[in-house]
Amino acid sequence: MADKYEIQEILFTEEQIASRVGELADMITGDFEGTAPLMVGILKGAFIFLADLARRVRVPAEFDFMAFSSYGSGTKTSGVVRVLKDLSTDIAGRHLILVEDIVDSGLTLSYLLRDLKARGAASLSICALLNKEVARQVDLPIRYEGFTIPDVFVVGYGLDCAEQYRNLPYIASVKKLAGEPPAPRLFP
Ligand code: PRP
């Protein structure tokens, strides 16, 4: 039987996230003034973060998406990165901002940085809402970071647990249930 989970603790409220997203957008606006960066959302997790960030950034950005498969349906990283969806934009000479919901081991972005550099990107900047620094396996320069989190499994605001919880407006930790779970309690 598949593992069952339930919400344990809210780590960042909707208001806290909105405020931090605004700050990150201001930093990006300042750094990329006079340019038209390509903001690349890493699916699926970054879809909500990028949508909110995009509306606060005040430069004529363009948008594209990539998808990788690195985790199974559980909570452990396999370390294997497989491209599921590639960019539809020619990135030669472009300034890219890679937008992630969370950086964990760093393997996904480490692979991506090498790949996109080889394709001729003029610059590559990482923007991650959550940084789980304690889990890092490779060095990664995160230029725009929302929050640092401890080594807990988190869901909400795009992040899932076995595809559940992505549409929660807040970010919360989950805990594994020993037996049969109670009815899910998604919203406070
Ligand atoms: C998560 C997250 C990052 C990646 C980070 O994606 O969105 O893309 O893992 O992990 P890493 O730093 O250890 O490489 P996931 O594979 O869970 O897919 P999803 O975004 O579709 O949920």
Side-chain angles (χ1 to χ4, degrees):
M1 198 181 79
D3 292 331
K4 302 285 183 188
Y5 297 84
E6 75 169 1
I7 299 296
Q8 186 169 37
E9 182 192 359
I10 294 180
L11 301 181
F12 304 107
T13 64
E14 197 172 351
E15 293 73 23
Q16 287 171 318
I17 296 169
S19 163
R20 190 66 186 130
V21 169
E23 290 172 358
L24 294 176
D26 288 346
M27 287 183 229
I28 290 171
T29 299
D31 290 349
F32 287 87
E33 205 183 340
T35 72
L38 179 68
M39 300 183 74
V40 177
I42 312 302
L43 298 173
K44 300 178 189 169
F47 79 108
I48 292 179
F49 176 39
L50 179 57
D52 284 347
L53 191 65
R55 285 173 285 183
R56 306 287 294 270
V57 166
R58 296 281 174 251
V59 291
E62 293 175 21
F63 300 89
D64 206 341
F65 299 90
M66 292 187 84
F68 301 93
S69 167
S70 59
Y71 294 175
S73 59
T75 63
K76 292 269 160 58
T77 178
S78 65
V80 177
V81 175
R82 191 162 58 92
V83 179
L84 297 179
K85 187 222 170 287
D86 206 346
L87 294 171
S88 54
T89 313
D90 177 2
I91 61 164
R94 299 294 304 268
H95 296 287
L96 267 61
I97 304 171
L98 309 180
V99 181
E100 267 285 23
D101 52 341
I102 185 168
V103 180
D104 201 314
S105 71
L107 293 171
T108 305
L109 281 179
S110 161
Y111 163 83
L112 196 52
L113 286 178
R114 283 194 306 274
D115 178 44
L116 299 179
K117 200 172 172 188
R119 295 195 216 176
S123 71
L124 294 162
S125 306
I126 295 172
C127 176
L129 182 63
L130 302 177
N131 181 7
K132 195 189 279 186
E133 214 162 13
V134 288
R136 197 63 37 78
Q137 291 179 27
V138 288
D139 265 351
L140 218 50
I142 300 182
R143 187 157 167 193
Y144 309 103
E145 174 189 314
F147 306 100
T148 298
I149 60 165
D151 196 9
V152 292
F153 196 80
V154 291
V155 298
Y157 199 70
L159 292 126
D160 75 308
C161 180
E163 295 302 327
Q164 291 297 302
Y165 305 118
R166 289 194 199 271
N167 62 326
L168 295 181
Y170 53 84
I171 293 171
S173 59
V174 287
K175 69 175 174 198
K176 200 190 261 188
L177 293 171
E180 272 301 304
R185 210 178 127 263
L186 298 184
F187 296 87

